[in-house]
Amino acid sequence: MEKRWWKEAIAYQVYPLSFKDSNGDGIGDLRGIIDKLDYIKDLGVNLLWLSPVYCSPMKDNGYDISDYYNVDPRFGTNEELDELIEKAKERGIKILMDLVINHCSDSHPWFKEALKDPEGKYGKYFIFKKGKDGKEPSNWRSIFGGSAWEKVEGTDYYYLHMFCKGQPDFNWNNKELRFKLYEIMNHWLEKGIGGFRVDAITHIKKDPNYPSVPVDGPDGFGEAAKYALNYTGIGDFLSEMRDETTSKYDAMMVAEAPGVPKEDFGEFVGNNGYFSMMFDFSYLYPSFELKAPWHKIKPFTTDQFKEALFASQEAMQKADAWQAPYLENHDLPRSVSRYIPCEDLNRQSASALATILLLLRGTPFIYQGQEIGMTNCSMKSVKEYDDISTLDYYQRAIADGFSEEESLEVCYDFSRDNSRTPMQWDDSISAGFSDSEKPWLKMNPNYKEINVESQQDDKNSLLSFYKELISFRKGKFKDVFVYGDFETFMTNEKNLFAYKRILDKDVLFVLVNFQNEEKEVVLPSEVKEIVFSNSGRNELSDTIQMKGYEAIVLRGQNQ
Ligand code: NOJ
Ligand code: CA
């Protein structure tokens, strides 16, 4: 397999708003991140995905960019960003900038010009259509609720926004626009960053007729994915983008690519794919259809999760493709709250989950706070939520007849704010995140128990476990974990995650008993020794009694 630096990386995502506030205004900032670089380095990661820090009206927390070349004053200055890139580099860490190029902000100068003249030069950078019979051009629902079309006052035109109305979609059919975007990318690449995390990229191509779809909710709109997600011909844009940007540098792109079926993995992230790697959505909610609103998603079992996760690994491998395994980011609830029943939640179960994730095939991504076991945060009222998507889903649940209490419960299970509450550094007011007593988003009240300081010097803490596990992945078996094959075994054993990583004669068996009950496991005969454990096990016999949430790695030898 082709060796690339980014295959060997381990990534950590920072959500700047919530990582560390250095000046007491309640908002995380670049200086705060710089101050915590040693913490990040100490974890053992070497790639840092920075969620957007560009100028933005923050309707979608920075995923609505009004200036791609400048840092938002909330976060600091361009000089501080250069300093961050430099100081990270000194510590062997490469920065991944977030690249939001399906849409920009309605405050971007291009869009302001476009509104003045939808048929003019800048109008062609966006998607303007005339209404039909006094209504929107089609009945597409925006991902954040309501129509995906917004009327331009005083004209017959509507503009398309697949996300909120402050996020107008670019018209990727316009070559001039595309090359403006590549210029932005090259500007950042010139600074020596590692590359980009590419936002919502499978939305950039739409059916040119924008056809209406069957209505699927009480709001009278329909889900547009069929005509607006991974749409035929998107590859021409993506390969052009790659050739004009990252392929000229030794840089990577990890794509947020919802709607890419397994058959397309090779095309997207195979050897000559559009991207270096992608986040696969298929295992997040094993019963999840992109179409289903949160409140209609069915619960899933551990075995369904396992099957979906392993199927994703197998499909990537079969396509010679590379993925970025992850369980958390700023759009998802906390993984320990999602995959572990609350009565089982402790260091043991959280370390079992970490083991499952970090030894998979691909470049693993960890989200800030995951390493200390931060959990979902329950809000007492919908007023405590900030996220535009949570507010919409709350309303949709209410409209579908759920009570306020039920709707809040749905938010607890799915809200993006679960992972956006500020990072818990210590047990002081605002958890050491900020000197302000009122951070921009409520603190999770459990910060007194769950925080970095209390785990830092404790050899048995989850934080210490993450460090050990990361260093294990990077240690003497590194090549096996990075370049080795993935193969499942004991697939029918309930609640047992069992996979092998194989490179030439080396085989590592990863075994995780993902349940509270003990489990008897007959070990494969090739097993030679135990090389990693989350429970201090150091002796082996042919049959072992695995403890609840025990995770072990065994070394074997291929025949
Ligand atoms: C995906 C980002 O991760 C999410 O936070 C954002 O709301 C949408 N894309 C729109 O940019
Ligand atoms: Ca600040």
Side-chain angles (χ1 to χ4, degrees):
M1 191 194 290
E2 208 192 345
K3 294 205 165 179
R4 300 301 299 265
W5 69 265
W6 39 260
K7 291 186 179 170
E8 303 185 12
I10 300 178
Y12 185 78
Q13 180 191 354
V14 164
Y15 193 64
L17 279 175
S18 300
F19 192 60
K20 174 75 187 158
D21 171 23
S22 72
N23 62 354
D25 63 359
I27 299 172
D29 44 52
L30 290 172
R31 178 59 55 199
I33 304 171
I34 295 170
D35 290 346
K36 291 293 183 187
L37 273 175
D38 283 330
Y39 170 81
I40 296 172
K41 175 178 187 256
D42 210 34
L43 272 174
V45 301
N46 49 8
L47 197 57
L48 197 165
W49 158 19
L50 201 60
S51 276
V53 291
Y54 318 91
C55 292
S56 164
M58 298 282 159
K59 290 190 180 143
D60 185 20
N61 292 2
Y63 285 88
D64 47 324
I65 298 173
S66 54
D67 178 351
Y68 287 87
Y69 290 98
N70 286 298
V71 167
D72 193 288
R74 285 177 183 84
F75 292 126
T77 62
N78 284 13
E79 289 68 37
E80 281 171 312
L81 182 52
D82 289 343
E83 185 183 333
L84 173 64
I85 297 170
E86 203 42 48
K87 292 203 162 141
K89 192 162 156 207
E90 284 165 17
R91 290 165 176 78
I93 299 170
K94 293 190 181 184
I95 302 283
L96 287 186
M97 294 291 283
D98 214 311
L99 184 71
V100 190
I101 47 174
N102 171 66
H103 47 265
C104 62
S105 156
D106 60 353
S107 301
H108 193 288
W110 294 341
F111 189 68
K112 288 193 187 158
E113 284 304 311
L115 281 183
K116 291 186 205 152
D117 181 9
E119 286 175 21
K121 169 180 157 94
Y122 290 105
K124 296 194 176 87
Y125 279 20
F126 297 91
I127 302 169
F128 287 94
K129 288 275 154 221
K130 289 203 167 149
K132 273 191 190 149
D133 314 321
K135 285 173 71 182
E136 296 92 358
S138 70
N139 67 355
W140 291 7
R141 180 187 298 111
S142 122
I143 289 161
F144 293 152
S147 172
W149 297 97
E150 181 70 14
K151 182 125 200 305
V152 183
E153 281 311 313
T155 73
D156 300 338
Y157 282 105
Y158 290 74
Y159 70 85
L160 182 70
H161 58 90
M162 292 315 295
F163 294 89
C164 82
K165 69 177 183 193
Q167 295 168 299
D169 278 46
F170 283 126
N171 171 19
W172 271 73
N173 292 316
N174 182 329
K175 185 167 178 197
E176 184 180 309
L177 173 262
R178 293 202 305 277
F179 278 75
K180 287 275 178 205
L181 298 177
Y182 307 155
E183 249 174 53
I184 294 170
M185 294 173 72
N186 290 330
H187 165 81
W188 290 105
L189 288 166
E190 282 297 324
K191 289 187 181 286
I193 60 167
F196 301 103
R197 175 271 185 181
V198 193
D199 185 75
I201 197 66
T202 35
H203 292 275
I204 61 172
K205 178 140 202 206
K206 289 96 178 165
D207 184 305
N209 298 313
Y210 306 92
S212 275
V213 291
V215 174
D216 60 16
D219 57 3
F221 299 115
E223 157 69 50
K226 182 170 171 205
Y227 299 110
L229 193 62
N230 192 18
Y231 191 76
T232 323
I234 193 173
D236 297 340
F237 296 153
L238 299 178
S239 44
E240 179 188 85
M241 172 167 85
R242 175 201 59 204
D243 296 346
E244 294 294 333
T245 64
T246 43
S247 68
K248 299 183 176 164
Y249 301 77
D250 188 18
M252 62 162 277
M253 282 193 276
V254 52
E256 188 203 29
V260 175
K262 294 192 169 62
E263 308 83 80
D264 293 356
F265 283 172
E267 192 184 319
F268 271 75
V269 285
N271 276 330
N272 200 23
Y274 310 134
F275 301 103
S276 324
M277 61 186 91
M278 65 179 256
F279 298 117
D280 178 20
F281 278 54
S282 69
Y283 56 84
L284 286 185
Y285 298 101
S287 54
F288 176 87
E289 279 181 72
L290 276 174
K291 278 209 224 116
W294 295 351
H295 54 287
K296 293 192 178 150
I297 292 175
K298 292 182 228 90
F300 57 86
T301 64
T302 294
D303 286 321
Q304 282 173 323
F305 165 50
K306 174 177 86 170
E307 276 159 35
L309 180 67
F310 287 0
S312 165
Q313 287 274 303
E314 281 165 348
M316 284 284 174
Q317 174 164 287
K318 196 164 150 220
D320 238 335
W322 201 250
Q323 71 166 312
Y326 69 110
L327 295 175
E328 287 190 27
N329 61 36
H330 64 293
D331 292 334
L332 292 171
R334 289 289 182 175
S335 62
V336 290
S337 301
R338 188 149 44 114
Y339 297 106
I340 302 170
C342 53
E343 62 280 12
D344 290 359
L345 184 51
N346 52 33
R347 180 263 181 206
Q348 184 72 15
S349 53
S351 64
L353 189 59
T355 311
I356 294 172
L357 174 71
L358 280 165
L359 303 180
L360 292 170
R361 179 179 176 279
T363 302
F365 275 65
I366 301 166
Y367 176 69
Q368 66 181 45
Q370 183 175 347
E371 72 280 16
I372 55 168
M374 281 180 65
T375 66
N376 281 0
C377 179
S378 107
M379 304 288 188
K380 289 191 192 66
S381 131
V382 67
K383 293 203 189 82
E384 289 188 322
Y385 283 108
D386 164 86
D387 168 35
I388 185 166
S389 146
T390 308
L391 299 176
D392 167 52
Y393 268 104
Y394 178 83
Q395 294 308 337
R396 287 178 68 184
I398 297 276
D400 266 348
F402 283 60
S403 69
E404 276 178 33
E405 208 185 337
E406 286 165 338
S407 307
L408 270 181
E409 255 171 56
V410 171
C411 294
Y412 177 75
D413 286 339
F414 294 103
S415 171
R416 308 198 296 181
D417 281 341
N418 280 311
S419 54
R420 296 177 180 187
T421 61
M423 178 73 182
Q424 297 167 195
W425 295 102
D426 61 36
D427 66 1
S428 65
I429 288 179
S430 298
F433 160 69
S434 171
D435 288 340
S436 159
E437 288 179 25
K438 276 219 156 300
W440 74 277
L441 184 66
K442 175 176 151 169
M443 299 295 315
N444 192 321
N446 66 16
Y447 72 86
K448 296 226 185 264
E449 295 82 54
I450 301 176
N451 62 63
V452 171
E453 194 182 58
S454 69
Q455 299 190 24
Q456 192 97 277
D457 300 322
D458 174 0
K459 277 205 327 268
N460 292 318
S461 67
L462 185 64
L463 178 58
S464 301
F465 180 81
Y466 261 89
K467 290 183 197 170
E468 253 173 64
L469 180 59
I470 290 169
S471 106
F472 173 63
R473 183 179 167 112
K474 298 195 308 190
K476 68 173 174 186
F477 301 113
K478 174 176 169 189
D479 280 351
V480 187
F481 286 125
V482 176
Y483 295 108
D485 281 346
F486 169 91
E487 198 180 296
T488 61
F489 67 108
M490 294 190 200
T491 40
N492 293 329
E493 292 287 344
K494 278 183 95 50
N495 301 330
L496 183 73
F497 285 72
Y499 61 84
K500 298 185 218 178
R501 302 301 316 278
I502 309 168
L503 187 70
D504 305 323
K505 275 197 160 350
D506 290 317
V507 194
L508 296 166
F509 299 82
V510 180
L511 270 174
V512 182
N513 177 27
F514 205 67
Q515 61 181 352
N516 203 13
E517 287 97 77
E518 294 195 351
K519 188 171 187 83
E520 187 176 279
V521 177
V522 181
L523 295 180
S525 60
E526 315 94 278
V527 165
K528 297 276 180 275
E529 59 171 332
I530 181 156
V531 288
F532 188 81
S533 151
N534 72 344
S535 56
R537 183 187 290 272
N538 48 27
E539 288 199 10
L540 282 184
S541 44
D542 298 347
T543 302
I544 56 170
Q545 193 70 22
M546 287 189 81
K547 290 183 220 142
Y549 294 105
E550 180 169 0
I552 49 176
V553 184
L554 308 160
R555 191 184 65 86
Q557 194 127 63
N558 233 357
Q559 302 311 325

